[in-house]
Amino acid sequence: MSLALSSQSEMSRNKIEHVVNEESDTKVILQSDGDQSRSSGFCGYLLTFFSFLLVFLTFPVSVWFCMKIVQEYERAVIFRLGQLLGSAKGPGLFWIIPCVDTFRKVDLRKVSFDIPPQEVLTKDSVTIMVDAVVYYRVFNPTVSITKVENANHATQMLAQTTLRNMLGTKSLADILKYREEVSEQMEAMMYAASKNWGIKVERIELKDVKLPTTLQRAMAAEAEATRDARAKVGV
């Protein structure tokens, strides 16, 4: 009973630490973005004024062009005259000004993708083929739009390079024996890079480790020899 309670408390502490780290990363990124904010100038204010005037003159028809809706799992990043307008909006109803405002929707749901089989040379000079699956989500919609052109594609490319680099520092025995530890290390490496894009890597799982045919035969022969030796000892 005490072991179960201690494990549950440890899991809750880990979840709290993940949330705190995520919030601190978001604050740092938003502070760096805030330093880059610029004024639109006189022309920008003039265009905004005429847009408000157009909305007023065409009311109530213009309401349908100003009113936008995003789903519970979405956020809208708004740009006014090409510049970021505050934080992401949503979920629900929000308003834009026609002609001067544009917006992009960002999906906050967890996404998974397969890493295609990668040829990896391990630390003990064994060539293997490894594939994996990655689970991630967007935790900062604004940064995922403004800091990287295509956050999904960038995350997939990062996952492939991280897989090769990480497994290249491990021996074949460590990869086969300590899959969970290797996956956790890859997750930490990916999040260290992807947090600057507003991406949180939730989990990485190694799916299959394919050994060379010659190595498979050698391991099978060794296992068979071990079984034969045990059988002779038993006799």
Side-chain angles (χ1 to χ4, degrees):
M1 184 67 178
S2 60
L3 292 175
L5 292 175
S6 61
S7 62
Q8 290 179 358
S9 61
E10 184 178 354
M11 291 176 60
S12 62
R13 284 197 301 270
N14 292 335
K15 290 181 180 179
I16 293 173
E17 289 177 358
H18 283 306
V19 172
V20 172
N21 293 334
E22 186 174 306
E23 290 179 352
S24 62
D25 293 335
T26 303
K27 290 179 181 178
V28 171
I29 295 172
L30 290 178
Q31 287 176 359
S32 63
D33 289 342
D35 297 336
Q36 300 177 358
S37 59
R38 296 189 299 265
S39 175
S40 299
F42 175 75
C43 293
Y45 288 121
L46 188 62
L47 288 174
T48 304
F49 170 77
F50 280 114
S51 297
F52 273 113
L53 183 61
L54 179 63
V55 171
F56 177 76
L57 293 177
T58 57
F59 185 83
V61 178
S62 58
V63 173
W64 301 105
F65 296 93
C66 300
M67 182 175 60
K68 303 296 179 181
I69 298 175
V70 291
Q71 305 298 326
E72 179 68 28
Y73 53 84
E74 294 176 330
R75 297 295 183 270
V77 180
I78 304 177
F79 296 89
R80 178 163 295 171
L81 297 175
Q83 297 182 9
L84 183 64
L85 185 64
S87 59
K89 309 298 181 182
L93 181 68
F94 67 97
W95 303 88
I96 64 171
I97 305 175
C99 303
V100 295
D101 286 353
T102 58
F103 71 96
R104 291 182 60 182
K105 292 182 180 180
V106 179
D107 197 323
L108 301 184
R109 291 176 293 183
K110 187 179 296 185
V111 180
S112 64
F113 65 87
D114 293 324
I115 302 178
Q118 303 292 310
E119 186 175 4
V120 179
L121 181 64
T122 63
K123 187 178 180 179
D124 47 355
S125 300
V126 178
T127 303
I128 58 176
M129 297 293 291
V130 184
D131 57 353
V133 59
V134 179
Y135 301 89
Y136 74 95
R137 62 181 175 84
V138 176
F139 73 90
N140 191 326
T142 302
V143 174
S144 68
I145 294 295
T146 58
K147 291 296 185 180
V148 61
E149 181 181 4
N150 189 331
N152 296 328
H153 181 70
T155 304
Q156 294 179 17
M157 295 298 102
L158 177 64
Q160 295 182 23
T161 56
T162 302
L163 178 66
R164 290 194 296 266
N165 294 337
M166 172 59 69
L167 298 185
T169 62
K170 305 292 183 181
S171 64
L172 177 60
D174 291 338
I175 294 174
L176 297 176
K177 188 175 182 181
Y178 303 108
R179 284 197 177 195
E180 289 293 333
E181 289 78 359
V182 172
S183 298
E184 291 176 359
Q185 293 176 10
M186 288 180 56
E187 179 183 336
M189 286 184 62
M190 283 196 63
Y191 180 59
S194 64
K195 67 181 181 181
N196 297 320
W197 308 333
I199 299 294
K200 169 62 178 174
V201 178
E202 297 282 355
R203 191 172 181 83
I204 300 177
E205 291 286 349
L206 297 180
K207 293 175 60 178
D208 190 17
V209 179
K210 296 181 180 179
L211 305 178
T213 305
T214 55
L215 183 58
Q216 291 181 14
R217 292 175 180 173
M219 293 176 66
E222 182 180 357
E224 185 177 358
T226 303
R227 288 194 300 268
D228 293 340
R230 290 178 178 176
K232 291 179 181 178
V233 171
V235 174

